Amino acid sequence: MGSSALLVKQVSGGIYARAELLYTILPAYSQNAHCRPAWHVPRVACRVPLPQEDAAFTLPPILTFLGHFLPDRMTLSLQGWHLDETAAQLTLQVTTRARVRCPLCQTPTARVHSRYTRTLTDLPWGSYTLRLQLHVRKFFCDHPACARQIFTERLPTVAAPWARRTLRLAEHLRACGLALGGELGARLGHRLGLRTSPDTLLRLVQDAPTPAATAPQALGVDEWAWRRGQRYGTILVNLEDHQVLDLLPERSADLVAHWLTQHPTVTVVCRDRSALYAEGIRRGAPHAVQVVDRFHLVKNLREALEAFLHDQRPALQAAAAGTAQALTQVAGSVAAPPMYRGRHQSSQAGQQRQAAAQQQRHAAWVATYEAIHALRAQGTPVTTIAAQLGISRPTVYAYLRRTRPPSPRSPQRSGQVVRPSMTYLMQRWREGCTDSMQLWRETRALGYAHSARTVSRFITRLRQASAAGWAPETQTSPYTRPQGPSARAVSFTWVCPEAKRAQDAQLYMDQLTHADPTLAQAYTLSQAFLALVRERRGAALVAWMTEASASGIEALARFAQGLQEDLTAITAGLTLPWSNGPVEGHINRLKLLKRQGYGRAGVGLLRQRLIQAV
Ligand SMILES: [Zn+2]
């Protein structure tokens, strides 16, 4: 040994070494590794503590120390190591020391039949991959009555039978697969030093043990879209602990009924308003209380209101003009500055092209409307209509709620890209700056990344508003457009709690309900229903339904009539605390998982990734 070994002393058959020396010696040994494996097998390794040293940092015998990092140090015993620097691989020689019992008759035995070697990959140590060379024993079973004569010792805490990797490595890989799926999981694994293939990860995820069976009492059932409008599945969530219980590949009464018969502990089921799930629950859990989710009730009310508002176009327009005036009173108008002539005006031909395209779109809507109503009159089911016309079921329902074809709408520019800069542009407009090119340069300096034309279009709108005597603020609100907001947009504002409405939305609702007694009545009625929902006063539902039926507002009367068909479950929904909020949350998560799989993940994989929490 060279000078570096000065501190290594041979004392009574053992090597006494300092920690830093061990590390300087190790690479020296491994340089010869390619020609002959150099197994480091110190018989004893410990150190005499130096005086005045911190007791917390004393060095334990090196093998005992390294043994702490083995998968299960009660079962495995470290015998030596070999470090291959070129391959960045550390191999540990390990034997087993567990007491062994015959797996069949449970008799303890010590008579060894033979030994063999298993190689397992373990979690990497720093930048080194780690292999365990495991010497496993085979034993005789000496019990005279036992059918088994020879058996191999099991290592249930280290690795599965036949596995090439330790349990803890498999656990890490599975976590990658569950969180990210095959491809992404494998890529992350590589970064973390866990080399694997996407297929292996998927296999690990598929084989993940199902969590211990729970006995759910409150269940949430809802549909989820495999492909929107074409194929749906069913999701089942425990409403008590918010965990996903199962994912069914279809939206069918049979599957739900079958699942419920296997889970007899369920006493409450929260669902949407579909007759299909109602029937499945009735068959599978006849004694369970069915609860209609409140979200779906509000959704149905909003849809009824949208249908009602489709026929109120003049009132919607008048309210928009009223809102523009009210906003102008609040914000104050600005006199229109002189128009700068000579800028490029939008061409006549372009406008004609847009009008023609709009006409074509409107003709298609009318054709769809007529086709749907004709098919429905013949008694065709909604699902069939949707499939025949290549549209989604919700669209079919939306058309069926209409009593006349949709009206043509003039194209609207949403102004989405310019929206973040609107406040600045209006402030500059009020200061007297009306040159759109100048304003574009200014907004660009503030981070606006879109074209000058978009800014110019907004400035034109401000100019037109000024000419009409309106405040610039009217141009940022969808409630002040000359043609009025869409019936759909108004219906959403209508069911939104007043405390959550923006100022312009509230001004619009005031204008709308003050002008027309029918609209005012519809508003009062629907607010009364929303109060029942929010305050959970199911007992008052029947009285509300009577009032709505007698109101003369057809859309609301029809809505009330619809409630009658499912009255028990709806009253339960307006009385009990259960709701499908947790289910909707999981459906959103499911959408993310579906997209991570690029649409290729099957129901088995989605189910595992949804149920197994990482
Ligand atoms: Zn035996």
Side-chain angles (χ1 to χ4, degrees):
M1 280 195 171
S3 61
S4 66
L6 275 177
L7 283 168
V8 181
K9 290 183 244 167
Q10 189 84 23
V11 180
S12 63
I15 297 171
Y16 289 67
R18 296 204 51 165
E20 56 269 34
L21 256 179
L22 269 176
Y23 290 110
T24 51
I25 292 168
L26 274 173
Y29 272 88
S30 55
Q31 274 165 12
N32 306 324
H34 57 275
C35 46
R36 61 182 170 84
W39 289 103
H40 302 261
V41 192
R43 279 159 292 167
V44 183
C46 65
R47 196 191 65 160
V48 184
L50 298 176
Q52 301 118 23
E53 270 201 357
D54 188 347
F57 290 96
T58 51
L59 184 73
I62 189 68
L63 283 187
T64 316
F65 172 68
L66 292 178
H68 279 77
F69 303 103
L70 290 176
D72 179 5
R73 64 195 170 99
M74 304 313 290
T75 314
L76 302 184
S77 162
L78 182 59
Q79 299 299 312
W81 73 84
H82 168 64
L83 187 69
D84 184 347
E85 280 288 356
T86 41
Q89 181 168 280
L90 180 60
T91 309
L92 298 184
Q93 225 178 22
V94 176
T95 55
T96 55
R97 60 174 169 203
R99 282 170 54 82
V100 176
R101 287 170 184 276
C102 166
L104 211 62
C105 65
Q106 303 301 326
T107 314
T109 176
R111 200 152 71 86
V112 175
H113 167 272
S114 57
R115 294 168 201 273
Y116 70 100
T117 307
R118 266 178 89 175
T119 307
L120 297 171
T121 311
D122 194 21
L123 292 174
W125 286 12
S127 55
Y128 294 92
T129 55
L130 185 71
R131 281 193 322 161
L132 300 182
Q133 232 176 56
L134 192 59
H135 299 287
V136 194
R137 298 162 293 178
K138 281 189 176 181
F139 289 91
F140 291 105
C141 177
D142 290 331
H143 195 281
C146 184
R148 184 73 60 88
Q149 293 184 332
I150 303 164
F151 64 90
T152 308
E153 64 181 322
R154 307 295 203 259
L155 298 163
T157 55
V158 178
W162 314 110
R164 304 290 304 274
R165 62 178 76 84
T166 55
L167 285 178
R168 63 184 188 182
L169 173 62
E171 210 42 61
H172 277 58
L173 291 174
R174 181 176 293 143
C176 283
L178 282 170
L180 295 168
E183 288 290 341
L184 267 182
R187 266 185 265 164
L188 176 70
H190 253 264
R191 278 290 179 91
L192 301 177
L194 313 171
R195 275 176 221 157
T196 187
S197 73
D199 287 342
T200 307
L201 281 194
L202 291 184
R203 212 163 33 243
L204 281 169
V205 169
Q206 298 276 21
D207 295 345
T210 36
T214 51
Q217 299 205 326
L219 180 75
V221 182
D222 209 343
E223 63 176 26
W224 57 277
W226 267 106
R227 278 190 73 182
R228 213 173 132 81
Q230 294 190 19
R231 198 176 153 208
Y232 288 85
T234 301
I235 183 171
L236 302 160
V237 176
N238 186 341
L239 293 182
E240 285 164 309
D241 62 6
H242 297 188
Q243 297 298 309
V244 179
L245 291 166
D246 215 336
L247 202 62
L248 308 179
E250 278 170 47
R251 179 181 167 275
S252 80
D254 289 341
L255 280 185
V256 170
H258 181 246
W259 194 92
L260 281 168
T261 49
Q262 291 181 325
H263 295 80
T265 51
V266 173
T267 52
V268 174
V269 188
C270 197
R271 58 164 169 87
D272 61 6
R273 292 191 59 191
S274 79
L276 197 128
Y277 285 143
E279 196 211 325
I281 299 163
R282 204 160 37 241
R283 283 191 349 226
H287 303 298
V289 177
Q290 296 196 24
V291 175
V292 167
D293 181 40
R294 290 186 287 281
F295 165 80
H296 287 96
L297 287 176
V298 175
K299 181 167 167 267
N300 292 148
L301 174 70
R302 189 205 62 74
E303 288 162 352
L305 287 168
E306 187 185 335
F308 165 67
L309 291 169
H310 276 308
D311 299 339
Q312 308 289 332
R313 176 93 348 241
L316 295 183
Q317 270 176 18
T323 309
Q325 264 164 12
L327 264 179
T328 305
Q329 275 172 14
V330 175
S333 68
V334 188
M339 174 79 179
Y340 170 65
R341 300 278 162 202
R343 283 254 177 267
H344 171 75
Q345 305 279 311
S346 74
S347 71
Q348 229 33 136
Q351 282 178 7
Q352 278 170 4
R353 237 188 349 262
Q354 273 188 359
Q358 174 63 20
Q359 243 170 21
Q360 220 168 22
R361 270 200 299 274
H362 180 236
W365 295 339
V366 174
T368 310
Y369 171 86
E370 278 161 3
I372 289 176
H373 278 263
L375 284 169
R376 193 60 178 164
Q378 295 163 17
T380 317
V382 169
T383 323
T384 319
I385 300 178
Q388 262 186 29
L389 299 178
I391 53 180
S392 73
R393 278 185 300 120
T395 311
V396 175
Y397 280 118
Y399 270 100
L400 283 175
R401 278 193 302 271
R402 284 174 176 273
T403 48
R404 65 186 76 165
S407 56
R409 274 173 286 176
S410 55
Q412 274 299 313
R413 301 234 171 244
S414 68
Q416 279 306 320
V417 293
V418 82
R419 189 159 290 280
S421 309
M422 277 181 180
T423 318
Y424 177 77
L425 290 172
M426 284 192 304
Q427 178 208 329
R428 295 287 290 128
W429 177 266
R430 281 185 179 278
E431 286 167 10
C433 179
T434 59
D435 182 349
S436 60
M437 281 311 284
Q438 169 65 24
L439 288 170
W440 173 60
R441 280 191 288 272
E442 287 177 19
T443 48
R444 211 163 50 148
L446 294 173
Y448 181 74
H450 301 273
S451 69
R453 180 180 285 209
T454 330
V455 172
S456 150
R457 213 179 277 135
F458 180 65
I459 296 300
T460 307
R461 274 165 58 188
L462 291 188
R463 192 182 299 285
Q464 285 164 352
S466 289
W470 287 353
E473 281 73 12
T474 57
Q475 298 311 301
T476 65
S477 167
Y479 298 96
T480 54
R481 304 186 315 194
Q483 68 274 46
S486 69
R488 185 177 164 78
V490 177
S491 71
F492 275 104
T493 313
W494 193 292
V495 297
C496 170
E498 284 191 15
K500 288 189 181 172
R501 288 180 196 155
Q503 186 199 26
D504 51 345
Q506 187 54 49
L507 281 174
Y508 183 84
M509 288 312 292
D510 291 344
Q511 295 288 331
L512 192 63
T513 50
H514 288 159
D516 187 320
T518 315
L519 282 162
Q521 193 193 2
Y523 189 73
T524 315
L525 263 176
S526 45
Q527 292 304 308
F529 182 80
L530 291 170
L532 291 187
V533 173
R534 285 172 192 142
E535 294 156 22
R536 290 216 298 276
R537 288 189 279 115
L541 179 64
V542 176
W544 183 88
M545 283 160 61
T546 317
E547 202 185 332
S549 305
S551 67
I553 299 166
E554 203 201 325
L556 286 180
R558 225 169 337 137
F559 173 69
Q561 201 187 332
L563 297 180
Q564 186 67 50
E565 291 162 15
D566 204 4
L567 190 59
T568 323
I570 291 171
T571 310
L574 293 185
T575 314
L576 299 173
W578 305 109
S579 90
N580 265 357
V583 187
E584 299 294 334
H586 281 298
I587 290 176
N588 274 335
R589 197 154 74 85
L590 181 58
K591 284 179 192 165
L592 173 76
L593 295 182
K594 244 172 42 182
R595 278 162 203 163
Q596 273 187 345
Y598 299 99
R600 287 173 304 175
V603 74
L605 181 61
L606 288 175
R607 182 176 176 281
Q608 287 291 65
R609 289 189 63 193
L610 199 61
I611 294 177
Q612 308 269 351
V614 175

